[in-house]
Each structure stands twice: as structure tokens, then as C-alpha cells.
Amino acid sequence: MEIQTTKRKKSVKAIIISFSILFALYLSFSIYFSNHFYFGSVINGVNASGKTVDKVDKELLTKYASYTLELNERGGVKEQLKAADIGLKYNSNGKVQMLEDNKNSFGWFYEIFNPKNSEISGLVTYDEKLLKSRFDKLSAIDSKKTIEPQNANFKYTDDGYVVVKEVMGNKITSKQLYTNIISAILTGETKMDLELKNNYVNPKYTSTSKEILATKILLNKYITSNITYTYASGNQVIDKSVLNKWLTVDKNNTIIFDEVTMKTYLTELDNHYETYGTEREFATSVGKTLKVGGGDYGWKVQRAGEVADLIVSIKSGQTIAKEPRYTEKGLNHDLNDIGNTYVEINMTKQHMWFYKNGNLIASGDVVTGKPTKDRATPTGIYKLKYKAKNATLKGENYSTPVSVFMPFNGGIGIHDATWRNKFGGQIYLTGGSHGCINSPPALAQKIYDNINADTPVVCYFE
């Protein structure tokens, strides 16, 4: 029993001694760290491990005296801002001491396993004017050296549209860069990567963006359209070789139809279609071939509406044959769109003919407008607007009832003139109408009974 008691006493004694040694060590380190920074401490980029406040202050002073901030930019460009450039001065104002005072020296055992990197702001001051002046001279914000970012775009090839890779450029968000530089200076950073700091203005869409890939598919769908315009002298095909010139993609990755270019193209195409008011060769009943222009007869394309129709067809990728949309229509698309049903009025001979399907239905002398500014019958090719019975013609100082009236140019039309007993000759020179075609009743009635609205009416002087 005495032996066991002796062993137990020795063990207790050993434990007490070990604990005392450990406590003494712990207490020694606690005393040491009461005026030294913990191992592994870094303050504003300076290694403060096991150092006193004075030592750290001196090293920070040395650091900031020769401080240089290196800017790493795109394209391997590097620039520097030095302490002397910006009037940088170190003055801790007791902040390093405050950091030391605020730590728990008895917590050193935990802290040595959790190294701490401290960033103290306000350890330095700088001259704002010098900093702004140096900042304004940076190559990074030099507009002459700035390359604007460009979205991924599209290029038309024989095989369709392909994606053109984006241009990253080097355009800087200067306000953000200035803020980041100040932050780096105040915290003692010596290197700043502008890319990592997100200081660049980047393209919104890159070649791998899902939006770009979707637009490429859509563009290639649009150019599969094949639209054939048919007209009397041939056909005009609009396929991808034309369509690609009408399509652009804006900065928001939206496909834009160039309606100005489309209208220009259609204007040229309309030469095959539009005859409205144009000059035509006309074979007269007296054997002469004349050029007659003006009037409102013929085909006229509604370009704005036609562009809208085209866009709908293209977006659907359609293959179609079509005619344009018209605001005015003739009777046919023959090269001579007057055809073989028309009224012919030779105002030199004061004679009128009416042909239907190539057959002469009626003809006879007439009296046209008196050749004065306010009463002359205009030349040109018009179309009959309508026909009416028992109309009353009204004008300044007259109101005249007629049995049949066939207007073709505003209030000017063909009608019976029962008040006249002579027609033709030179009557119109002094006793002409107010612009209408005064006709013998039988002639007017014959034409009325056989004519339809939209029939061409050709008025000319030889």
C-alpha cells in the first residue's frame, strides 16, 4: 500500500509541475503578445508577425515613402502611380497602436492558428489635386487610345450568316477606376488588376451568348425566303443575295429591316409595274402614234404597305410568287396597259371614239373645254370614275341637267349636250365647255350603255 501511495504522489507531482510549466509558458507568451502583434499578422501589406507597434509603424512609413501602385491593364499594359506623384504621406494617428490595444493578448494560442490580415484605412493622406492630375494622364483613360467594345456580330457569306467574334476593347469606367485607385492607396495595395476589379466596359453580347446564337438561327431563317414578283415582261426574284442587304443587327441584338433600302429597291422594281401618270405611246384612230402623259390612269404601288408585306413574308421564310400592293390599278399588266377598251378624245380634231374589246362602239364630233386657264380640258390618260343618269352639272353661274354623265377627271366628264346643235370643228376655241366633253345625245348614250367604271379615257392634242 505504501508503494502505491508513493507512486500516486509522484504522478500528481509530475502533473502539477507540467501544468505549472505550461502555464508559465502561456503567461510568458501572453506578456510577450501584450506589446507584440500575433504571429502571422499582416497590416496593410506589411508583415507584422511578432513585431511591436513602433517597428510596424516604421516599416509602414518606409513602405509608403517609396509606395508605388502598379496598374495591370489589358494588352499587357502596365502603369504606375508613385507616392511622390500624388503627395502621399504616412501618419497612423495611433491607429496601429489602437489595433494592438484592441487585441486580447491572452487569446494568442487561438490567434496563432488563425493568421489575420488587417487593413487599416486612413493611415495615409494624399493630395487630391495631384492625384486627379496624375489620374487624368493615365493611358488607360486616354480617349485617343481607347478601343470601344463591340458586341459579337454577324457576317453574311455564301453559306449564310456566321458570327463575328466580339471586340473586348479597353474602354474604362473612369469613375469606378478612380474610386478603386483611392481604395488601393488607402489600404496599401501595390498591384491592381483592372480586369479583376471589373473596371472595363465589356461587350453586352459575346460569340457564345445564347442570344447571339439564337439571332444567327433567325437570320439564316429569314434568308431562306424566296419571293418572286411577276409582271408582263418577266420576273424578279428576291432571294438571299438581296435579302442580306436588307438585314442588320443593332447593339441590342435586334434584327432590323432597312426599310429605306427596301423602298429604294422596290422603287427600281416598280418601274416594271408603275404606269400611273407615265407617258405612253398611243396609236391614235387617225393613224398617228403620239406620246401621251399625265392623268391618273395606271398602276401605282403602295410602297409602305409593300415593305410591310415583304417583312411578314421574310420573317416566315416564305417561298411565294406575288404582285405588289397597289393604291391605283389599271385594267391589265400588258406592256400597253391601256388595252383595247378605251375612250379616245382627239381635242385637235374635236372628235371622240369609244372602243370595247378592240371593236369601235361609237364615235362622233364633240366640243371640249375652251382653251383658257380655267376652262381647258387637260390632256392625259384618266380612268372613268363612275357613270350616272339624270345628273345636274353645277358651276359658277350655271346649273345644267344632263341625261348621262361619265366623269373621269374631277368634275370633268363626258355627257350629252342637248343645248348644242353643232359639234366639232373650231367651236371649242370660242364657245368651248367648262372642261367637260359635250357630246351629241345619241353618242353619249351609246357610250353610257357600253362603258364601265375604270375604263381608260385618253385626251390629247396632235
Side-chain angles (χ1 to χ4, degrees):
M1 286 296 291
E2 288 183 10
I3 294 173
Q4 290 178 350
T5 301
T6 301
K7 287 182 178 180
R8 188 179 297 114
K9 288 181 179 179
K10 288 181 178 180
S11 296
V12 171
K13 184 177 181 180
I15 291 171
I16 292 172
I17 292 170
S18 297
F19 179 79
S20 298
I21 292 171
L22 289 173
F23 180 75
L25 286 172
Y26 172 78
L27 190 59
S28 297
F29 275 109
S30 295
I31 293 170
Y32 176 80
F33 286 122
S34 67
N35 57 10
H36 292 79
F37 287 101
Y38 292 129
F39 297 138
S41 295
V42 177
I43 300 174
N44 286 45
V46 167
N47 179 12
S49 180
K51 296 177 182 177
T52 64
V53 171
D54 287 343
K55 179 66 174 174
V56 173
D57 256 331
K58 288 177 181 178
E59 291 189 15
L60 284 169
L61 176 62
T62 301
K63 172 186 175 178
Y64 283 111
S66 59
Y67 176 79
T68 298
L69 174 61
E70 183 177 89
L71 305 179
N72 296 321
E73 304 167 14
R74 280 182 181 169
V77 177
K78 295 181 183 296
E79 296 189 79
Q80 294 181 336
L81 284 83
K82 297 185 177 181
D85 297 335
I86 60 176
L88 189 69
K89 293 180 181 180
Y90 175 74
N91 187 351
S92 72
N93 291 318
K95 291 186 178 181
V96 176
Q97 182 66 58
M98 189 181 299
L99 182 66
E100 161 65 16
D101 293 343
N102 286 338
K103 78 179 196 304
N104 180 6
S105 60
F106 291 99
W108 64 267
F109 185 77
Y110 171 79
E111 295 295 344
I112 63 175
F113 295 104
N114 296 278
K116 191 171 183 180
N117 191 340
S118 300
E119 296 288 348
I120 305 175
S121 62
L123 291 180
V124 293
T125 59
Y126 58 87
D127 188 310
E128 290 188 12
K129 289 183 179 180
L130 288 177
L131 175 59
K132 187 64 170 64
S133 175
R134 178 67 186 93
F135 180 81
D136 290 340
K137 294 175 183 177
L138 288 176
S139 174
I141 62 169
D142 186 345
S143 60
K144 295 179 181 178
K145 298 179 181 178
T146 298
I147 300 172
E148 293 285 337
Q150 296 178 29
N151 288 332
N153 214 307
F154 306 90
K155 179 182 178 181
Y156 175 75
T157 71
D158 291 340
D159 297 321
Y161 281 93
V162 296
V163 176
V164 178
K165 190 175 175 61
E166 68 279 357
V167 174
M168 295 304 294
N170 61 2
K171 187 174 183 178
I172 289 289
T173 306
S174 59
K175 185 176 181 179
Q176 181 178 335
L177 175 60
Y178 190 74
T179 300
N180 288 343
I181 286 175
I182 291 176
S183 177
I185 292 170
L186 294 178
T187 55
E189 292 181 52
T190 57
K191 293 182 182 293
M192 191 172 83
D193 190 312
L194 273 60
E195 192 80 65
L196 296 178
K197 290 286 188 179
N198 296 317
N199 284 127
Y200 288 104
V201 178
N202 291 319
K204 184 177 180 180
Y205 300 105
T206 68
S207 55
T208 58
S209 298
K210 62 181 182 180
E211 296 90 348
I212 289 291
L213 300 178
T215 298
K216 176 188 172 184
I217 292 172
L218 204 55
L219 285 168
N220 284 318
K221 173 188 174 182
Y222 288 176
I223 61 171
T224 61
S225 299
N226 192 293
I227 301 165
T228 302
Y229 279 93
T230 58
Y231 48 89
S233 59
N235 296 326
Q236 180 72 33
V237 178
I238 298 176
D239 58 16
K240 61 182 182 181
S241 65
V242 176
L243 294 173
N244 81 87
K245 297 179 177 65
W246 295 353
L247 303 175
T248 57
V249 179
D250 68 11
K251 64 181 181 180
N252 295 316
N253 195 41
T254 301
I255 298 175
I256 304 297
F257 285 82
D258 186 344
E259 296 190 20
V260 173
T261 300
M262 293 176 74
K263 286 178 181 178
T264 299
Y265 182 91
L266 289 176
T267 298
E268 296 172 359
L269 182 63
D270 291 345
N271 292 332
H272 297 295
Y273 294 96
E274 284 202 329
T275 57
Y276 184 86
T278 60
E279 189 176 70
R280 300 168 176 80
E281 286 194 347
F282 179 72
T284 69
S285 296
V286 296
K288 294 182 179 180
T289 298
L290 303 175
K291 289 186 176 181
V292 182
D296 63 2
Y297 177 79
W299 300 88
K300 186 176 183 180
V301 175
Q302 183 186 1
R303 289 191 184 91
E306 188 57 25
V307 167
D309 289 348
L310 272 176
I311 290 174
V312 170
S313 297
I314 294 166
K315 284 185 174 181
S316 301
Q318 293 180 354
T319 296
I320 56 173
K322 72 188 297 291
E323 284 191 8
R325 183 190 292 198
Y326 297 104
T327 56
E328 299 290 341
K329 293 184 178 182
L331 294 180
N332 60 67
H333 277 306
D334 293 338
L335 294 179
N336 174 17
D337 65 347
I338 296 174
N340 57 11
T341 297
Y342 57 88
V343 174
E344 175 186 351
I345 303 169
N346 185 325
M347 292 186 289
T348 302
K349 296 190 177 297
Q350 291 290 289
H351 198 85
M352 177 170 64
W353 297 264
F354 172 51
Y355 295 92
K356 189 170 185 176
N357 298 323
N359 298 312
L360 180 62
I361 302 301
S363 69
D365 289 340
V366 294
V367 176
T368 63
K370 184 178 180 180
T372 59
K373 183 178 180 180
D374 59 335
R375 292 175 60 171
T377 303
T379 61
I381 304 171
Y382 304 89
K383 63 180 179 181
L384 194 70
K385 303 304 183 286
Y386 60 89
K387 60 181 184 178
K389 285 185 176 182
N390 302 319
T392 299
L393 308 180
K394 295 181 179 181
E396 188 176 349
N397 301 321
Y398 71 88
S399 177
T400 305
V402 295
S403 297
V404 293
F405 182 51
M406 293 161 276
F408 59 83
N409 179 10
I412 296 174
I414 303 165
H415 61 78
D416 54 305
T418 55
W419 58 91
R420 291 187 185 274
N421 54 24
K422 287 185 179 181
F423 297 88
Q426 301 298 307
I427 298 172
Y428 80 104
L429 293 176
T430 55
S433 70
H434 288 79
C436 284
I437 313 302
N438 289 183
S439 308
L443 176 59
Q445 188 65 50
K446 186 71 171 179
I447 293 174
Y448 180 91
D449 291 340
N450 290 276
I451 202 168
N452 296 312
D454 296 333
T455 297
V457 177
V458 184
C459 303
Y460 62 90
F461 285 99
E462 291 183 18

